[in-house]
């Protein structure tokens, strides 16, 4: 297969991928094989449109796009900020809206206020570091976790967490609060820097169609 002929998409597994496929369908880009949830296949091809799609772990999407293994990626802005890859961020897709926040028990508010040296657990150590060191000028100890970060303060691993808040129900069910808001987030379309030039026409058309579809929704 000459992959240069194809436009290759990397999608982060899960909710964002589903929403992305719904959006692509609105502009006539479909991939039937991908809808089979039981399939263990990793790459899906639409021969007619000369498009390929693959699903990967969210944090790997910018990596595939930076190295040109995918021309285009769809990923949360949180991942873009955390991974800091050399890619073009070209479109806010509007869905996947949430907030990056410092969260913890109410009692931790005081520690933040007095710039105490606290322990911060997060799946996003770079975002946490940037926020505390560069924006708040507060020295903290950052502990990297890979999920269920809300456990951190509950089992006294950390004083607070830096994590995504969408509906707020995970925090509520665990007696935690948003203590500070770092930034709003949404799903973004990213493009490989070389593909942007080499496949300019196809990518340009795709972006124009997506913008039109987003404006209508
Ligand atoms: C994310 C995030 C929070 C939760 C927030 O976790 O890390 O835990 O969703 O959503 P809410 O405000 O709507 O409750 P995810 O579901 O990705 O699982 P993980 O904790 O295992 O990473």
């Amino acid at each position: 297969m000459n992959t240069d002929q194809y436009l290759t998409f990397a999608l982060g597994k899960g909710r964002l991928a589903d929403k992305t496929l719904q959006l692509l369908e609105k502009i006539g880009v479909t991939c039937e094989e991908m809808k089979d949830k039981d399939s263990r296949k990793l790459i899906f091809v639409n021969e007619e449109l000369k498009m390929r799609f693959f699903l990967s772990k969210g944090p790997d999407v910018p990596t595939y796009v930076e190295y040109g293994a995918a021309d285009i990626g769809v990923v949360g802005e949180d991942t873009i900020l955390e991974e800091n890859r050399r890619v073009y961020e070209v479109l806010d897709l509007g869905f996947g809206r949430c907030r990056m926040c410092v969260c913890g028990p109410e009692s931790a508010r005081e520690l933040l206020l007095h710039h105490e040296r606290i322990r911060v657990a997060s799946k996003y150590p770079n975002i946490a570091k940037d926020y505390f060191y560069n924006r708040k000028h507060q020295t903290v100890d950052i502990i990297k976790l890979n999920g269920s970060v809300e456990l951190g303060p509950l089992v006294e691993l950390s004083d607070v967490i830096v994590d995504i808040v969408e509906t707020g129900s995970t925090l509520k069910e665990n007696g935690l609060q948003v203590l500070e808001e770092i930034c709003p987030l949404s799903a973004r379309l990213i493009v490989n820097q070389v593909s942007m030039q080499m496949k300019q026409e196809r990518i340009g058309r795709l972006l124009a169609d997506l913008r039109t579809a987003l404006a209508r929704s």
Side-chain angles (χ1 to χ4, degrees):
M1 183 190 276
N2 175 6
T3 54
D4 286 353
Q5 296 179 351
Y6 289 81
L7 210 52
T8 302
F9 289 75
L11 308 178
K13 277 182 204 168
R15 273 176 285 183
L16 288 189
D18 293 341
K19 293 251 185 192
T20 306
L21 292 178
Q22 284 168 20
L23 175 64
L24 287 172
E25 241 180 80
K26 287 188 188 164
I27 62 163
V29 174
T30 52
C31 194
E32 284 308 313
E33 313 184 273
M34 230 172 151
K35 291 181 183 163
D36 177 5
K37 298 279 179 210
D38 297 328
S39 174
R40 300 288 296 164
K41 222 173 150 175
L42 294 172
I43 301 185
F44 305 91
V45 185
N46 181 327
E47 276 302 340
E48 209 186 316
L49 297 173
K50 288 277 178 279
M51 287 185 179
R52 303 195 307 160
F53 302 85
F54 64 81
L55 293 171
S56 74
K57 290 264 183 197
D60 293 337
V61 169
T63 314
Y64 286 109
V65 175
E66 178 179 297
Y67 286 95
D71 301 298
I72 294 174
V74 174
V75 71
E77 202 181 351
D78 50 310
T79 303
I80 297 173
L81 294 171
E82 180 63 24
E83 297 295 318
N84 201 18
R85 294 278 174 184
R86 276 168 301 172
V87 295
Y88 291 135
E89 188 186 320
V90 292
L91 197 59
D92 181 349
L93 296 170
F95 51 77
R97 287 198 187 283
C98 51
R99 301 176 290 157
M100 184 64 70
C101 297
V102 180
C103 311
E106 190 52 47
S107 57
R109 203 179 286 278
E110 196 81 344
L111 303 174
L112 288 168
L113 210 65
H114 295 118
H115 282 218
E116 302 262 357
R117 182 163 184 151
I118 52 172
R119 289 205 284 195
V120 181
S122 187
K123 274 190 289 191
Y124 304 95
N126 293 327
I127 294 175
K129 193 171 164 197
D130 179 64
Y131 178 70
F132 281 102
Y133 282 77
N134 300 334
R135 276 171 63 183
K136 292 203 68 186
H137 307 292
Q138 180 173 359
T139 304
V140 297
D141 295 315
I142 292 165
I143 304 168
K144 163 91 194 289
L145 289 178
N146 292 299
S148 304
V149 180
E150 290 82 358
L151 268 173
L154 301 181
V155 298
E156 292 174 20
L157 172 73
S158 69
D159 299 291
V160 297
I161 61 173
V162 164
D163 201 17
I164 282 174
V165 179
E166 191 178 354
T167 61
S169 49
T170 312
L171 291 180
K172 200 167 165 203
E173 283 183 33
N174 292 291
L176 303 174
Q177 324 258 352
V178 170
L179 301 172
E180 289 174 2
E181 189 170 322
I182 300 177
C183 60
L185 302 164
S186 60
R188 301 287 159 127
L189 196 99
I190 55 174
V191 178
N192 171 267
Q193 296 185 342
V194 176
S195 305
M196 196 63 155
Q197 289 172 3
M198 304 301 284
K199 300 181 180 178
Q200 194 181 21
E201 208 186 303
R202 287 190 77 186
I203 294 176
R205 218 177 316 128
L206 179 87
L207 291 178
D209 289 349
L210 286 173
R211 283 198 183 96
T212 308
L214 287 170
R216 283 204 194 110
S217 60

